[in-house]
Amino acid sequence: MSIFTPTNQIRLTNVAVVRMKRAGKRFEIACYKNKVVGWRNGVEKDLDEVLQTHSVFVNVSKGQVAKKEDLISAFGTDDQTEICKQILTKGEVQVSDKERHTQLEQMFRDIATIVADKCVNPETKRPYTVILIERAMKDIHYSVKPNKSTKQQALEVIKQLKEKMKIERAHMRLRFILPVNEEKKLKEKLKPLIKVIESEDYSQQLEIVCLIDPGCFREIDELIKKETKGKDSLEVLNLKDVEEGDEKFE
């Protein structure tokens, strides 16, 4: 027995819906999951990889296709591919509660991973595990913000965790060589940006090996270049000054 499907209905599965309201009517397009963000970021450029079909709907879940006259009234054209592009760029992505929960859980893990990668216990110089950071984030009741990047949120988490546990950004180890005539004046300007000076060598020039907060690297680099007019030598010896082994809570 054949099942009759009206000609203005299209059935789709595993779909992400993008919706736009225009001229008092609702229009939807059917996309492949996880492809909408790639299109908007410019990573995915092939429209066929994003759209399940070039049809414009009034209701994707019911398979109801928009009428030609409604498209012309709302968009000034009945070119469905062009209308799909407009909705894809400016429309609102519809996410189910389950999908939203999964996305927030993934962001929570991603934030914890960034924090664990960037931080250490300042007393032991050992990194914390991702699981331990996740537990600490739960203890401070950190709430993920879906509209902020995971990197921005990781920096927020580090600030909040500092109030509850021994944690800080792992230091970078630098070596820089300063011209003889500039070294004293420049060293004084650099001092507030340096955490620890590990060694100083005065031969023909001043060579300093030191530890800095990674957030100060750009400022140090720009200051040295400006003051020495490019006659300096700046080398990153270690991106992270850490000891082997994972940190544990007692």
Side-chain angles (χ1 to χ4, degrees), residues 50-100:
V50 183
L51 297 177
Q52 293 212 13
T53 170
H54 288 239
S55 298
V56 180
F57 298 80
V58 290
N59 190 313
V60 168
S61 62
K62 292 180 180 178
Q64 294 174 348
V65 182
K67 294 175 183 175
K68 180 177 178 179
E69 55 265 32
D70 289 340
L71 294 177
I72 293 170
S73 171
F75 297 94
T77 179
D78 62 349
D79 184 333
Q80 302 222 12
T81 298
E82 285 307 310
I83 295 169
C84 283
K85 285 181 182 177
Q86 285 190 48
I87 298 173
L88 185 57
T89 304
K90 299 176 183 176
E92 184 181 332
V93 183
Q94 306 302 299
V95 183
S96 70
D97 290 340
K98 185 180 177 183
E99 286 174 318
R100 188 177 288 107

Side-chain angles (χ1 to χ4, degrees), residues 211-227:
L211 299 177
I212 68 157
D213 186 309
C216 294
F217 176 76
R218 185 178 295 176
E219 192 177 346
I220 288 172
D221 187 35
E222 288 174 356
L223 177 62
I224 290 175
K225 279 179 177 157
K226 180 184 172 187
E227 294 291 330

Side-chain angles (χ1 to χ4, degrees), residues 146-196:
N147 296 324
K148 287 188 87 171
S149 75
T150 50
K151 190 172 180 181
Q152 282 178 309
Q153 292 187 74
L155 295 174
E156 286 177 14
V157 167
I158 293 167
K159 283 181 188 174
Q160 292 182 33
L161 290 181
K162 277 183 177 180
E163 298 173 12
K164 300 291 183 182
M165 60 191 283
K166 294 169 184 173
I167 188 169
E168 68 176 28
R169 293 277 300 270
H171 294 147
M172 288 175 71
R173 180 176 280 108
L174 302 181
R175 176 197 288 129
F176 41 80
I177 298 170
L178 307 177
V180 175
N181 299 333
E182 309 285 340
E183 86 275 3
K184 286 184 181 176
K185 181 177 71 173
L186 192 46
K187 184 183 168 186
E188 288 305 309
K189 289 185 178 180
L190 289 168
K191 262 185 181 177
L193 302 172
I194 294 173
K195 288 283 185 182
V196 180

Side-chain angles (χ1 to χ4, degrees), residues 180 201-207:
V180 175
D201 181 19
Y202 290 91
S203 47
Q204 275 116 16
Q205 296 172 307
L206 173 59
E207 181 181 308

